[in-house]
Amino acid sequence: MSVPEKEETLLPLTQRWPRMSKFLLSGCAATVAELATFPLDLTKTRLQMQGEAALARLGDGAAESAPYRGMVRTALGIVQEEGFLKLWQGVTPAIYRHVVYSGGRMVTYEHLREVVFGKSEDKHYPLWKSVIGGMMAGVIGQFLANPTDLVKVQMQMEGKRKLEGKPLRFRGVHHAFAKILAEGGIRGLWAGWVPNIQRAALVNMGDLTTYDTVKHYLVLNTPLEENIATHGLSSLCSGLVASILGTPADVIKSRIMNQPRDKQGRGLLYKSSTDCLIQAVQGEGFLSLYKGFLPSWLRMTPWSMVFWLTYEKIREMSGVSPF
């Protein structure tokens, strides 16, 4: 073994395989954040499905008779009618999704920032580059994770189907994957991928771009240093912006993913994300695009804070430079 090869084997894993290490570290941080905030995600999804005007075309009386609930009543209703642990229904595919999604987006964004676009000599990273990088990272990460996101959304609605007297569609996560694959083929696993990546692009423009820009602005232009206070303040800002930008696309994505499908895997309610958008606004009003905004924001903000604080800390503990 030559001297350079021997030296390389003595390097820490984070230096020998930096991208894989960052992928795994971001996946760990995302898992912690997902477990801590998942009940709010479930509540948000249930709210987004209420009053869905397009269901009237299929003669679904449940859509008309179901009482509208706010965030708190929806959450309490889930606990009272389905059980406390049902607040985490669908958490397994959600964790699968975030390991792939967060790993993909973080590695992509850092690669674009450090290699493709590059920072200036004074460590300044222009906002326009950060916006493009954040959107591209979101698109790539979400496209890879779409099958797990599809299963997560559909499993989150199983409790509601049971209460409405409808048969359950899935026995578990792996059965859901198998059934979707059997009914719609590989294409079926990417149902709703267009609105999904549209949402991911907007959310990551809000999350990654805002966090990166605010953090480095604070470090370079204020007395604040690279510490937990700076990370916390930056993550609060990123969670708010991501919620404002991402909620309309999240509503469209959830509805397209949860709609009934024919044997070819084609949706019976909406032809496209644009069609879903038009039907929602015409049938329910513009504010229907912000159904579930409060739980979305209340989830996005703590999710963002838990994720970024955990991610920065485990990077530090692993000997990786700050984000």
Side-chain angles (χ1 to χ4, degrees):
M1 180 182 294
S2 63
V3 175
E5 290 177 344
K6 185 176 181 180
E7 291 178 350
E8 183 177 348
T9 59
L10 296 176
L11 291 174
L13 293 178
T14 54
Q15 294 183 30
R16 291 165 60 187
W17 299 300
R19 290 177 186 169
M20 179 57 68
S21 298
K22 291 175 182 177
F23 184 97
L24 294 175
L25 292 177
S26 62
C28 291
T31 299
V32 173
E34 195 66 18
L35 288 171
T37 62
F38 189 79
L40 285 169
D41 186 54
L42 175 64
T43 303
K44 174 205 69 176
T45 300
R46 293 288 182 90
L47 280 170
Q48 289 171 344
M49 299 301 173
Q50 290 181 9
E52 195 169 358
L55 284 173
R57 294 212 317 266
L58 294 181
D60 193 334
E64 300 174 0
S65 61
Y68 182 81
R69 295 169 169 174
M71 181 191 74
V72 175
R73 288 185 62 194
T74 297
L76 290 176
I78 293 171
V79 173
Q80 293 171 355
E81 298 165 5
E82 304 171 42
F84 178 74
L85 292 181
K86 291 298 182 180
L87 288 172
W88 279 269
Q89 183 164 320
V91 73
T92 302
I95 291 175
Y96 290 167
R97 180 242 182 188
H98 265 290
V99 169
V100 178
Y101 169 67
S102 293
R105 73 183 184 120
M106 300 303 291
V107 171
T108 300
Y109 184 82
E110 284 200 79
H111 178 75
L112 292 172
R113 185 182 65 182
E114 307 298 336
V115 179
V116 179
F117 293 139
K119 293 182 179 179
S120 60
E121 294 182 359
D122 61 354
K123 301 295 183 181
H124 178 68
Y125 191 52
L127 179 61
W128 69 269
K129 290 184 178 181
S130 185
V131 167
I132 294 174
M135 295 182 72
M136 291 180 65
V139 167
I140 293 172
Q142 185 55 60
F143 183 78
L144 295 174
N146 196 82
T148 53
D149 203 18
L150 175 65
V151 171
K152 182 201 78 170
V153 169
Q154 294 202 4
M155 288 195 67
Q156 284 178 329
M157 298 305 296
E158 287 298 272
K160 182 181 178 183
R161 287 178 63 88
K162 184 176 181 180
L163 290 175
E164 293 173 351
K166 298 177 182 178
L168 297 181
R169 295 172 293 185
F170 314 116
R171 295 192 299 270
V173 176
H174 298 101
H175 178 245
F177 275 110
K179 186 174 181 181
I180 294 171
L181 185 61
E183 293 178 352
I186 294 295
R187 177 182 175 183
L189 291 173
W190 269 267
W193 71 271
V194 174
N196 228 356
I197 66 171
Q198 290 170 344
R199 173 190 176 272
L202 292 171
V203 167
N204 281 278
M205 182 172 68
D207 185 31
L208 284 172
T209 300
T210 302
Y211 181 83
D212 194 22
T213 302
V214 171
K215 188 185 98 164
H216 287 94
Y217 176 84
L218 293 175
V219 171
L220 295 174
N221 298 282
T222 72
L224 292 175
E225 299 178 351
E226 186 81 48
N227 54 32
I228 191 171
T230 303
H231 300 159
L233 183 58
S234 302
S235 64
L236 285 173
C237 295
S238 68
L240 175 61
V241 176
S243 297
I244 293 173
L245 294 177
T247 297
D250 195 29
V251 172
I252 302 303
K253 176 213 75 168
S254 295
R255 292 188 172 190
I256 286 181
M257 284 187 153
N258 195 60
Q259 69 176 322
R261 300 185 177 276
D262 60 20
K263 294 181 179 180
Q264 286 72 43
R266 294 174 297 195
L268 298 177
L269 298 181
Y270 311 111
K271 299 175 183 177
S272 64
S273 56
T274 303
D275 181 44
C276 182
L277 172 66
I278 293 172
Q279 289 195 48
V281 173
Q282 290 181 343
E284 305 162 55
F286 176 78
L287 290 181
S288 66
L289 297 177
Y290 278 89
K291 281 185 177 180
F293 173 77
L294 183 57
S296 178
W297 173 59
L298 290 176
R299 176 184 185 265
M300 186 70 73
T301 299
W303 192 99
S304 182
M305 177 172 285
V306 172
F307 172 79
W308 285 112
L309 292 179
T310 304
Y311 187 49
E312 294 278 19
K313 187 62 179 179
I314 61 178
R315 282 175 71 114
E316 177 187 343
M317 294 171 61
S318 302
V320 181
S321 61
F323 178 78

